[in-house]
């Protein structure tokens, strides 16, 4: 469990990135910090592994204030995935994935063996192990980034717009894979994004942020869509202008065709399992 | 101090000699680097041989070059022309790369826009490319000016008269003040010329804004102000 | 072209190379001075430059010192220190170091600065300590520029080492100044050619080293 207790971050020039923010991130779930740029979401994420120190308040992991843990040791115990993969251009894929285990003193051969396993876990061809990141596609690079973050089996995974720089099709694929991974691994994930669809697709809990790192609403994806707290959230989710309005019409072969507001088909709703868990709209 | 005051006219005379050796070399290096640098951008395949080849000159130690050059020029070692040519070559070694980079940084879009507007090749060079490459050219020119002025002194050991003569005379006659005066005057001359070049740049390129410093990696939120 | 032929004749004669004052000994001295000066300078300037690049602190001082030393006439520094410290190697050594330190310093900090900040950020986020970030990421990725600084310093020192003989030390400047005093153009020319060859070969070696490094992926 990660707790933000009334944290603030004010830079020396007086700009406040985050003000009096509190949140509990339950273990083994995915919490998405959702907001446009400048809302302080990355700052909040980086407070967890002390890449940013709050100017007030504290961040606690399982009731231990992170400020009492050495930053280097803390970061080695937490996985971190960033937007442009942040892979080391001078290292081979397998070496890069093995970084944290090596930093934690795992022998080279053992670290490599684990790295190879992880490549399979994240769906990478083991033949890519000897490549350098410059020789990989954007999607492959992000997979390597995820594998590297998971390499020493951390309990917590911090993801900073990890799929923001890849093209939309690959992004959907990566999101699906992350969900599959999370079903198996049950990590505590904090995920930062400005993409509403991504937040709805991945979050167990979503935190909508206003500029200046203030919370607009916290809830499950469904709660947000069903009962947006105010205009800001409603507009942010695109509920106001009909972007999320769906219509259903009977289909000759049975079931119903779901269309968006403009009448473009999105999927088919079966009569049998036409409940709220249907994946229409993805 | 006393020595300096007594020899002030002599020092001024040497300063003028120094300037007469370095200024033509800097100017020649600058003017020659313009077509060469532009050519390197125009013909990318020529770039490395041209820029790299001329850059090799910089690897040649100055004193030996002063001695070898008369073989080619037919001058004598002590002739000012010999020193000016040698200094021009060193200046060129630095300046051609700067010029190639400067012209290379003029964006292709701008170049094409200038063509579309209907500039002739010559007009385009003078009215669009040269001004846009100006700030980078000026930066290169300043480096060449400072290093040429400090380089001139070396020729004094061969008997070419310049502020460097204060070092050789001072050393042989054991006058510390002469050497100090030489160092200070050389540095001052370099500084004055540098300030003149900056001022000239301000006059010729009033649109120039200081280049923003690389933003610090500290800022945590991407895209935040 | 007779002077050139005479000079080449002098350079290629075995007698010129042997003996206590021969070209062999002089070239050895020349190299030794240069390596010593660059080595001593690197000992100070490399760590300092890397630190400046890593922390971003002290950059202003480094930039100014590079500019100032560029304006300093080497001959002035050598003769001044020689008057103070006497004839010998001390004066040229001081001048060489004054010359070499800023180049190495500038190469080191600009090499580290040129590394993509996002990669450095990622390295920190993985839990690398500052030393690990510097040695494992910033130095290997900035190696081409770091080496470029050492290359420039070596070039400057090898060139300036010719002046060491002017204040009574050895090196290839000895036959050069000897020839100058005796109006022996062939000897001056021969010595000059050897210095030029030495400098060009050293520079080519550095160029080769840098090229090999540049082929490694990701090097800035």
């Amino acid at each position: 469990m990660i707790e933000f207790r009334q944290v603030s971050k004010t830079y020396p020039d007086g700009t406040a990135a985050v003000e009096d923010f509190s949140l509990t991130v339950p273990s083994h779930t995915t919490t998405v910090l959702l907001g446009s740029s400048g809302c302080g979401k990355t700052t909040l994420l980086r407070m967890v592994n002390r890449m940013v120190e709050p100017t007030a308040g504290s961040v606690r992991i399982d009731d231990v204030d992170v400020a009492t843990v050495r930053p280097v040791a803390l970061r080695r115990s937490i996985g971190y995935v960033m937007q442009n993969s942040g892979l080391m251009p001078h290292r081979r894929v397998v070496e890069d994935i093995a970084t944290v285990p090596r930093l934690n003193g795992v022998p080279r051969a053992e670290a490599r063996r684990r790295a190879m396993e992880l490549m399979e876990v994240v769906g990478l061809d083991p033949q890519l192990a000897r490549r350098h990141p410059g020789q990989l596609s954007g999607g492959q690079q992000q997979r390597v980034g995820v594998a590297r973050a998971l390499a020493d089996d951390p309990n917590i995974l911090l993801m900073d717009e990890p799929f923001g720089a890849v093209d939309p099709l690959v992004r959907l694929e990566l999101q699906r894979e992350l969900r599959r991974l999370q079903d198996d691994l049950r990590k505590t994930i904090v995920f930062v994004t400005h993409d509403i669809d991504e937040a709805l697709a991945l979050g167990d809990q979503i935190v909508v942020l206003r500029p200046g790192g203030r919370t607009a609403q916290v809830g499950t994806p469904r709660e947000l869509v069903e009962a947006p707290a105010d205009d800001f959230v409603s507009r942010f989710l695109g509920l106001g202008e009909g972007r999320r309005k769906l219509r259903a019409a009977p289909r000759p072969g049975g079931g119903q065709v779901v269309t968006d507001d403009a009448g473009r088909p999105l999927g088919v709703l079966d009569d049998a399992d036409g409940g709220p868990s249907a994946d229409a709209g993805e | 101090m006393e020595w300096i005051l007594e020899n002030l006219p002599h020092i001024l005379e040497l300063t003028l000699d120094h300037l007469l050796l370095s200024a033509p070399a800097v100017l020649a290096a600058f003017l020659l680097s313009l077509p060469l640098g532009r050519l390197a951008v125009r013909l990318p395949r020529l770039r490395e041989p041209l820029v790299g080849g001329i850059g090799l000159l910089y690897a040649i130690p100055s004193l030996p070059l002063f001695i070898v050059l008369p073989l080619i020029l037919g001058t004598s070692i002590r002739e000012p022309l010999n020193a000016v040519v040698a200094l021009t070559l060193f200046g060129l070694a630095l300046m051609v790369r700067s010029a190639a980079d400067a012209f290379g940084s003029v964006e292709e879009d701008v170049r094409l826009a200038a063509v579309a507007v209907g500039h002739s090749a010559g007009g385009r060079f003078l009215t669009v490319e040269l001004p846009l490459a100006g700030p980078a050219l000026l930066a290169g020119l300043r480096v060449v000016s400072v290093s040429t002025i400090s380089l001139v002194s070396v020729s004094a050991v061969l008997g070419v008269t310049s502020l460097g003569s204060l070092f050789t005379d001072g050393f042989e006659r054991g006058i510390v003040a002469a050497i100090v005066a030489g160092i200070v005057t050389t540095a001052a001359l370099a500084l004055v010329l540098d300030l003149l070049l900056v001022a000239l740049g301000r006059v010729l390129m009033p649109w120039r804004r200081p280049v923003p410093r690389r933003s610090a990696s500290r800022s945590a939120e991407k895209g935040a102000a | 072209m007779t002077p050139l032929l005479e000079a080449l004749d002098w350079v290629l004669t075995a007698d010129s190379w042997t003996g206590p004052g021969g070209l062999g000994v002089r070239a050895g001295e020349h190299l030794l001075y240069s390596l010593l000066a660059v080595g001593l300078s690197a000992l100070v300037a490399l760590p300092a430059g890397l630190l400046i690049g890593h922390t971003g602190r002290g950059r202003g001082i480094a930039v100014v010192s590079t500019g100032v030393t560029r304006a300093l006439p080497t001959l002035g520094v050598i003769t001044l220190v020689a008057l103070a410290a006497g004839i010998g190697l001390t004066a040229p050594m001081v001048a060489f170091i004054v010359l070499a330190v800023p180049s190495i310093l500038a190469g080191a900090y600009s090499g580290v600065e040129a590394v993509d900040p996002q990669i450095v950020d990622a390295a920190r986020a993985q839990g690398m300590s500052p030393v690990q970030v510097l040695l494992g990421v910033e130095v290997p990725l900035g190696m081409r520029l770091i080496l470029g600084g050492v290359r420039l310093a070596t070039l400057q020192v090898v060139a300036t080492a010719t002046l060491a003989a002017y204040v009574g030390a050895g090196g290839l400047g000895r036959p050069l100044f000897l020839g100058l005093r005796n109006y022996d153009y062939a000897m001056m020319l021969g010595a000059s050619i050897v210095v030029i060859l030495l400098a060009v070969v050293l520079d080519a070696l550095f160029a080769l080293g840098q090229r090999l490094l540049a082929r490694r992926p990701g090097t800035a």
Side-chain angles (χ1 to χ4, degrees), chain A:
Chain A
M1 186 174 72
I2 308 169
E3 274 176 281
F4 294 85
R5 290 196 181 168
Q6 300 184 306
V7 290
S8 300
K9 177 69 186 178
T10 313
Y11 283 106
D13 63 358
T15 45
V18 172
E19 269 183 280
D20 196 27
F21 177 89
S22 295
L23 176 73
T24 301
V25 176
S27 297
H28 313 298
T29 63
T30 304
T31 292
V32 175
L33 303 180
L34 174 65
S36 44
S37 76
C39 74
K41 54 193 192 296
T42 297
T43 307
L44 284 169
L45 186 80
R46 288 171 153 246
M47 284 179 184
V48 177
N49 69 351
R50 293 191 67 186
M51 296 286 281
V52 171
E53 303 285 350
T55 38
S58 66
V59 177
R60 304 171 83 84
I61 297 177
D62 295 333
D63 273 323
V64 177
D65 187 340
V66 294
T68 63
V69 187
R70 266 181 57 231
V72 168
L74 181 73
R75 290 169 198 159
R76 287 177 192 176
S77 70
I78 296 176
Y80 194 102
V81 190
M82 53 207 285
Q83 178 166 15
N84 288 310
S85 81
L87 300 181
M88 302 294 134
H90 59 311
R91 294 203 181 154
R92 296 183 191 282
V93 164
V94 60
E95 293 165 5
D96 212 345
I97 296 175
T99 302
V100 178
R102 292 286 296 141
L103 288 173
N104 284 334
V106 175
R108 184 184 298 269
E110 166 69 11
R112 282 187 171 242
R113 197 186 54 71
R114 260 194 243 171
M116 294 302 290
E117 277 175 21
L118 272 161
M119 286 188 69
E120 292 205 36
V121 170
V122 300
L124 279 169
D125 185 345
Q127 297 209 311
L128 301 177
R130 307 270 310 149
R131 297 244 183 117
H132 288 279
Q135 301 166 303
L136 302 180
S137 71
Q140 287 170 333
Q141 288 185 18
Q142 289 310 126
R143 285 173 197 261
V144 175
V146 173
R148 180 174 69 177
L150 291 171
D152 214 37
D153 200 20
N155 293 322
I156 298 174
L157 208 52
L158 305 178
M159 308 185 84
D160 187 1
E161 308 217 16
F163 311 140
V166 293
D167 68 65
L169 275 180
V170 178
R171 189 181 317 161
L172 285 180
E173 159 103 27
L174 288 171
Q175 288 167 1
R176 210 166 314 155
E177 291 251 359
L178 181 63
R179 265 198 314 225
R180 177 183 62 78
L181 269 178
Q182 175 65 346
D183 284 345
D184 291 345
L185 302 174
R186 311 301 300 161
K187 302 288 182 192
T188 306
I189 299 180
V190 184
F191 193 107
V192 159
T193 187
H194 63 263
D195 178 340
I196 297 96
D197 295 307
E198 187 164 76
L200 294 176
L202 294 177
D204 297 311
Q205 168 178 258
I206 297 176
V207 182
V208 184
L209 291 164
R210 291 179 206 280
R214 284 168 302 124
T215 311
Q217 188 174 4
V218 182
T220 64
R222 188 155 174 189
E223 283 165 358
L224 293 186
V225 175
E226 278 178 358
D230 55 19
D231 259 14
F232 177 81
V233 177
S234 175
R235 252 183 297 123
F236 202 89
L237 295 178
L239 297 173
E241 65 260 30
R243 236 189 72 207
R244 300 210 171 269
K245 218 170 264 172
L246 301 180
R247 296 169 200 278
R251 181 168 165 252
Q256 292 180 297
V257 176
V258 179
T259 62
D260 67 9
D261 202 32
R264 297 184 179 277
L266 295 170
V268 177
L269 204 58
D270 278 346
D271 287 333
D273 58 20
S277 68
D279 273 356
E282 190 178 279

Side-chain angles (χ1 to χ4, degrees), chain B residues 201-214:
Chain B
R202 292 250 168 86
V203 172
L204 292 178
M205 299 178 283
W207 68 88
R208 196 188 162 196
R209 294 276 172 276
V211 184
R213 284 269 307 274
R214 203 172 65 127

Side-chain angles (χ1 to χ4, degrees), chain B residues 59 67 150 157 168 172 214, chain C residues 70 113 166 176 180 185 192 199:
Chain B
I67 294 169
S150 98
V157 298
T168 49
E172 272 151 30
R214 203 172 65 127
Chain C
R70 196 183 281 139
E113 275 181 358
Y166 187 75
L176 194 150
L180 183 68
Y185 186 54
S192 299

Side-chain angles (χ1 to χ4, degrees), chain C residues 1 11 43-44 55 59 67 103 118 122 127 142 157 159-160 169 193 206-207:
Chain C
M1 278 287 118
V11 169
L43 223 53
V44 183
T55 61
R59 196 175 179 284
S103 299
Q118 281 198 18
V157 170
T160 314
I193 291 170
F206 267 105

Side-chain angles (χ1 to χ4, degrees), chain B residues 114 119-132:
Chain B
H119 279 300
S120 66
R124 199 166 72 229
F125 179 78
L126 283 178
T127 58
V128 179
E129 294 179 21
L130 199 57
L132 285 179

